[in-house]
Amino acid sequence: MIDAVLLTSPRISTFDDQTYLTNASSFFFARDERLFLVTSRHVMVDEPSGHHPSRIEIELHNDPENLADSIAFSIPLFRDGKSLWRQGEDTAGDIDVAVIEIDRAALPENIVYRAFGPEHLSDPQEHVEIGSSILVVGFPLGFHDTLHHMPVVRHAVVASSFGFRFQGMGYFLTDARTHRGTSGAPVVMRNTADTASELPWKLLGVHSARLDVGTRDLVLDEALGLNCAWYADILMTLTEG
Protein backbone atom coordinates (compact mmCIF):
# COMPACT_ATOMS: atom_id res chain seq x y z
CA MET A 1 0.00 0.00 0.00
CA ILE A 2 1.60 3.25 -1.17
CA ASP A 3 0.86 6.39 0.82
CA ALA A 4 -0.81 8.75 -1.64
CA VAL A 5 1.41 11.67 -0.61
CA LEU A 6 4.36 9.93 -2.29
CA LEU A 7 2.50 10.06 -5.61
CA THR A 8 2.20 13.85 -5.46
CA SER A 9 5.91 14.50 -5.87
CA PRO A 10 7.83 13.64 -9.04
CA ARG A 11 11.57 14.06 -9.40
CA ILE A 12 12.68 16.93 -11.64
CA SER A 13 15.74 16.92 -13.87
CA THR A 14 16.74 20.17 -15.55
CA PHE A 15 18.32 20.29 -19.00
CA ASP A 16 19.84 22.78 -21.39
CA ASP A 17 18.56 21.14 -24.57
CA GLN A 18 20.02 17.63 -24.14
CA THR A 19 22.63 18.53 -21.52
CA TYR A 20 21.69 17.41 -18.01
CA LEU A 21 22.13 20.13 -15.38
CA THR A 22 20.57 19.45 -11.96
CA ASN A 23 17.89 17.54 -10.11
CA ALA A 24 15.24 18.88 -7.75
CA SER A 25 11.88 18.12 -6.16
CA SER A 26 8.36 19.15 -7.13
CA PHE A 27 4.68 18.37 -6.63
CA PHE A 28 1.37 18.49 -8.47
CA PHE A 29 -1.29 21.09 -7.73
CA ALA A 30 -4.72 20.94 -9.37
CA ARG A 31 -7.14 23.84 -9.56
CA ASP A 32 -10.48 23.35 -11.27
CA GLU A 33 -9.61 21.45 -14.47
CA ARG A 34 -6.03 22.70 -14.65
CA LEU A 35 -2.91 20.88 -13.49
CA PHE A 36 0.30 22.57 -12.41
CA LEU A 37 3.77 21.46 -11.41
CA VAL A 38 5.17 23.37 -8.43
CA THR A 39 8.85 23.74 -7.54
CA SER A 40 11.32 26.38 -6.41
CA ARG A 41 11.82 29.33 -8.73
CA HIS A 42 15.59 28.85 -8.65
CA VAL A 43 15.07 25.44 -10.27
CA MET A 44 13.73 27.24 -13.36
CA VAL A 45 16.36 29.96 -13.43
CA ASP A 46 19.06 31.13 -11.04
CA GLU A 47 21.09 34.11 -12.17
CA PRO A 48 23.73 34.04 -9.38
CA SER A 49 24.81 30.50 -10.29
CA GLY A 50 24.28 30.90 -14.05
CA HIS A 51 21.58 28.20 -14.06
CA HIS A 52 19.52 28.58 -17.26
CA PRO A 53 17.76 25.34 -18.25
CA SER A 54 15.62 25.25 -21.38
CA ARG A 55 13.40 22.38 -20.24
CA ILE A 56 12.68 20.04 -17.36
CA GLU A 57 11.82 16.37 -17.19
CA ILE A 58 9.69 14.65 -14.58
CA GLU A 59 9.36 10.95 -13.88
CA LEU A 60 5.82 9.59 -14.18
CA HIS A 61 4.35 6.22 -13.27
CA ASN A 62 2.57 4.87 -16.32
CA ASP A 63 1.32 1.47 -15.13
CA PRO A 64 -1.15 1.29 -12.22
CA GLU A 65 -0.31 -2.39 -11.78
CA ASN A 66 3.46 -1.95 -11.72
CA LEU A 67 4.99 1.12 -10.08
CA ALA A 68 8.44 0.00 -11.21
CA ASP A 69 7.51 1.21 -14.70
CA SER A 70 8.06 4.88 -15.38
CA ILE A 71 8.55 7.29 -18.25
CA ALA A 72 10.21 10.68 -18.60
CA PHE A 73 7.89 13.56 -19.47
CA SER A 74 9.56 16.66 -20.90
CA ILE A 75 8.22 20.16 -20.23
CA PRO A 76 9.64 23.13 -22.18
CA LEU A 77 10.35 26.26 -20.15
CA PHE A 78 10.20 28.75 -23.02
CA ARG A 79 8.04 29.44 -26.05
CA ASP A 80 8.93 32.13 -28.59
CA GLY A 81 11.60 33.36 -26.20
CA LYS A 82 9.18 33.86 -23.32
CA SER A 83 9.24 31.88 -20.08
CA LEU A 84 6.26 29.60 -19.50
CA TRP A 85 6.44 29.38 -15.74
CA ARG A 86 4.92 31.79 -13.26
CA GLN A 87 6.77 33.09 -10.24
CA GLY A 88 5.67 35.24 -7.35
CA GLU A 89 6.79 38.36 -5.59
CA ASP A 90 5.58 40.50 -2.73
CA THR A 91 6.59 43.68 -0.95
CA ALA A 92 9.77 42.00 0.30
CA GLY A 93 10.88 40.90 -3.18
CA ASP A 94 10.91 37.65 -5.12
CA ILE A 95 9.27 34.52 -3.73
CA ASP A 96 11.21 31.33 -4.41
CA VAL A 97 8.21 29.42 -5.77
CA ALA A 98 7.33 28.73 -9.41
CA VAL A 99 4.51 26.90 -11.15
CA ILE A 100 4.20 25.70 -14.72
CA GLU A 101 0.99 24.41 -16.23
CA ILE A 102 0.88 20.87 -17.59
CA ASP A 103 -1.30 20.13 -20.60
CA ARG A 104 -3.43 17.25 -19.34
CA ALA A 105 -4.11 16.16 -22.93
CA ALA A 106 -0.37 15.68 -23.49
CA LEU A 107 0.01 13.33 -20.54
CA PRO A 108 0.34 9.63 -21.33
CA GLU A 109 -2.64 7.43 -20.63
CA ASN A 110 -2.85 5.47 -17.39
CA ILE A 111 -0.38 7.62 -15.46
CA VAL A 112 -0.61 7.32 -11.69
CA TYR A 113 -0.32 10.50 -9.65
CA ARG A 114 -2.05 12.51 -6.95
CA ALA A 115 -2.39 16.29 -6.75
CA PHE A 116 -2.89 18.74 -3.94
CA GLY A 117 -5.63 21.30 -4.40
CA PRO A 118 -6.96 24.47 -2.77
CA GLU A 119 -8.69 22.30 -0.20
CA HIS A 120 -5.31 21.15 1.11
CA LEU A 121 -3.90 24.62 1.69
CA SER A 122 -3.41 25.75 5.25
CA ASP A 123 -4.33 29.36 5.90
CA PRO A 124 -1.28 31.17 7.36
CA GLN A 125 -3.70 32.58 9.95
CA GLU A 126 -4.60 29.06 11.04
CA HIS A 127 -2.93 28.09 14.28
CA VAL A 128 -0.13 25.58 13.73
CA GLU A 129 1.67 25.04 16.99
CA ILE A 130 5.39 25.73 17.15
CA GLY A 131 7.26 22.43 17.11
CA SER A 132 4.48 20.65 15.19
CA SER A 133 5.61 17.54 13.37
CA ILE A 134 5.73 17.93 9.59
CA LEU A 135 7.24 16.13 6.60
CA VAL A 136 9.32 17.27 3.63
CA VAL A 137 8.67 14.99 0.62
CA GLY A 138 11.46 15.06 -1.93
CA PHE A 139 14.72 13.89 -3.45
CA PRO A 140 17.72 14.88 -1.29
CA LEU A 141 20.85 14.73 -3.47
CA GLY A 142 18.60 12.95 -5.98
CA PHE A 143 18.24 10.01 -3.60
CA HIS A 144 15.02 8.02 -3.99
CA ASP A 145 13.57 4.55 -4.44
CA THR A 146 15.11 3.92 -7.86
CA LEU A 147 13.05 0.75 -8.38
CA HIS A 148 9.64 2.30 -7.74
CA HIS A 149 10.65 5.90 -8.57
CA MET A 150 9.36 7.26 -5.27
CA PRO A 151 10.55 10.18 -3.14
CA VAL A 152 11.61 9.86 0.48
CA VAL A 153 10.47 11.98 3.41
CA ARG A 154 12.39 13.92 5.98
CA HIS A 155 10.85 14.49 9.39
CA ALA A 156 10.82 18.17 10.39
CA VAL A 157 9.26 20.49 12.93
CA VAL A 158 7.87 24.00 12.58
CA ALA A 159 10.71 26.17 13.86
CA SER A 160 9.19 29.67 13.72
CA SER A 161 5.76 31.05 14.45
CA PHE A 162 3.49 29.81 11.67
CA GLY A 163 1.63 32.69 10.06
CA PHE A 164 4.38 35.21 10.78
CA ARG A 165 6.70 36.26 7.98
CA PHE A 166 10.13 35.37 9.31
CA GLN A 167 12.35 38.48 9.07
CA GLY A 168 9.60 40.03 6.94
CA MET A 169 9.87 37.36 4.22
CA GLY A 170 7.03 35.17 2.99
CA TYR A 171 8.31 32.00 4.61
CA PHE A 172 8.46 30.18 7.92
CA LEU A 173 11.31 28.06 9.24
CA THR A 174 11.57 24.30 9.54
CA ASP A 175 14.07 22.32 11.55
CA ALA A 176 15.12 19.36 9.43
CA ARG A 177 18.09 17.68 7.84
CA THR A 178 17.89 18.58 4.16
CA HIS A 179 20.22 18.54 1.16
CA ARG A 180 20.52 19.88 -2.35
CA GLY A 181 17.83 18.35 -4.51
CA THR A 182 15.09 18.97 -1.94
CA SER A 183 14.27 22.39 -3.40
CA GLY A 184 10.63 22.50 -4.46
CA ALA A 185 9.46 19.75 -2.11
CA PRO A 186 6.04 20.03 -0.45
CA VAL A 187 6.04 20.63 3.29
CA VAL A 188 3.02 18.82 4.71
CA MET A 189 1.30 17.99 7.97
CA ARG A 190 -1.12 15.14 8.57
CA ASN A 191 -4.73 16.33 8.65
CA THR A 192 -6.03 14.35 11.60
CA ALA A 193 -9.56 15.67 11.05
CA ASP A 194 -9.67 14.12 7.58
CA THR A 195 -10.46 10.43 7.84
CA ALA A 196 -12.15 9.93 4.48
CA SER A 197 -10.14 11.50 1.66
CA GLU A 198 -7.40 9.83 -0.31
CA LEU A 199 -4.90 12.57 0.50
CA PRO A 200 -5.36 13.49 4.21
CA TRP A 201 -2.56 16.06 4.36
CA LYS A 202 -2.33 19.82 4.81
CA LEU A 203 0.02 21.61 2.43
CA LEU A 204 1.85 24.18 4.56
CA GLY A 205 4.69 25.31 2.34
CA VAL A 206 7.25 24.81 -0.40
CA HIS A 207 10.77 23.96 0.74
CA SER A 208 13.29 26.38 -0.70
CA ALA A 209 16.73 26.30 0.87
CA ARG A 210 18.76 25.83 4.00
CA LEU A 211 19.25 28.89 6.14
CA ASP A 212 22.66 29.61 7.59
CA VAL A 213 24.52 32.36 9.39
CA GLY A 214 27.07 34.26 7.35
CA THR A 215 29.34 34.69 10.36
CA ARG A 216 29.42 30.97 11.18
CA ASP A 217 32.92 29.54 11.63
CA LEU A 218 32.95 26.68 9.13
CA VAL A 219 35.39 24.72 11.31
CA LEU A 220 34.06 25.37 14.80
CA ASP A 221 30.33 25.74 14.21
CA GLU A 222 27.87 23.23 12.78
CA ALA A 223 25.26 24.36 10.27
CA LEU A 224 22.05 25.59 11.83
CA GLY A 225 19.92 22.84 10.30
CA LEU A 226 17.14 25.36 9.61
CA ASN A 227 15.30 25.76 6.31
CA CYS A 228 12.99 28.20 4.55
CA ALA A 229 9.51 27.03 3.55
CA TRP A 230 7.49 29.56 1.56
CA TYR A 231 3.83 29.70 2.53
CA ALA A 232 1.82 27.55 0.15
CA ASP A 233 -1.06 30.01 -0.15
CA ILE A 234 0.99 31.79 -2.85
CA LEU A 235 -0.22 28.98 -5.14
CA MET A 236 -3.69 30.52 -5.26
CA THR A 237 -2.15 33.66 -6.76
CA LEU A 238 0.14 31.82 -9.17
CA THR A 239 -2.59 29.52 -10.54
CA GLU A 240 -5.39 32.02 -11.04
CA GLY A 241 -6.52 33.19 -14.46
Side-chain angles (χ1 to χ4, degrees):
M1 182 75 179
I2 298 294
D3 194 307
V5 75
L6 297 178
L7 295 171
T8 64
S9 305
R11 184 168 65 98
I12 283 185
S13 298
T14 66
F15 291 84
D16 181 11
D17 194 14
Q18 297 302 314
T19 302
Y20 168 79
L21 300 176
T22 62
N23 66 268
S25 302
S26 69
F27 60 93
F28 295 112
F29 185 82
R31 185 172 183 182
D32 301 321
E33 299 302 315
R34 304 169 72 190
L35 181 65
F36 298 87
L37 187 74
V38 183
T39 189
S40 294
R41 189 270 309 151
H42 72 260
V43 173
M44 304 299 199
V45 63
D46 187 46
E47 294 294 348
S49 66
H51 178 64
H52 296 97
S54 61
R55 65 183 182 92
I56 58 176
E57 281 187 4
I58 55 175
E59 258 187 323
L60 296 175
H61 296 92
N62 62 324
D63 185 348
E65 303 301 322
N66 182 10
L67 293 179
D69 278 356
S70 73
I71 58 172
F73 183 75
S74 183
I75 303 172
L77 297 181
F78 297 90
R79 180 180 298 129
D80 298 327
K82 296 182 178 181
S83 59
L84 296 177
W85 72 87
R86 303 178 184 183
Q87 61 189 58
E89 61 180 29
D90 61 15
T91 54
D94 290 339
I95 295 174
D96 194 19
V97 176
V99 305
I100 190 165
E101 187 167 3
I102 297 176
D103 181 2
R104 286 183 184 268
L107 290 172
E109 294 183 4
N110 300 321
I111 67 165
V112 183
Y113 72 96
R114 301 292 182 270
F116 295 105
E119 68 276 13
H120 294 101
L121 295 178
S122 182
D123 188 331
Q125 302 307 312
E126 178 182 348
H127 178 64
V128 176
E129 187 176 355
I130 194 80
S132 293
S133 178
I134 55 179
L135 298 179
V136 182
V137 186
F139 300 85
L141 299 180
F143 181 80
H144 62 294
D145 180 343
T146 55
L147 175 60
H148 300 103
H149 313 282
M150 292 288 182
V152 296
V153 301
R154 283 289 194 189
H155 177 255
V157 299
V158 177
S160 67
S161 184
F162 189 82
F164 277 75
R165 295 162 56 89
F166 188 80
Q167 294 183 340
M169 305 297 288
Y171 56 73
F172 62 99
L173 299 187
T174 67
D175 184 351
R177 187 181 180 192
T178 60
H179 298 80
R180 288 182 298 107
T182 314
S183 295
V187 179
V188 299
M189 180 173 68
R190 176 73 74 170
N191 186 355
T192 56
D194 184 354
T195 59
S197 75
E198 189 178 33
L199 197 58
W201 296 89
K202 292 182 179 181
L203 179 61
L204 302 186
V206 183
H207 173 84
S208 173
R210 289 172 292 178
L211 190 68
D212 209 343
V213 176
T215 57
R216 176 171 68 89
D217 188 306
L218 299 180
V219 176
L220 298 177
D221 302 317
E222 294 183 2
L224 287 176
L226 296 174
N227 312 276
C228 306
W230 294 87
Y231 287 108
D233 64 337
I234 184 63
L235 298 180
M236 294 304 292
T237 298
L238 296 182
T239 60
E240 66 184 3

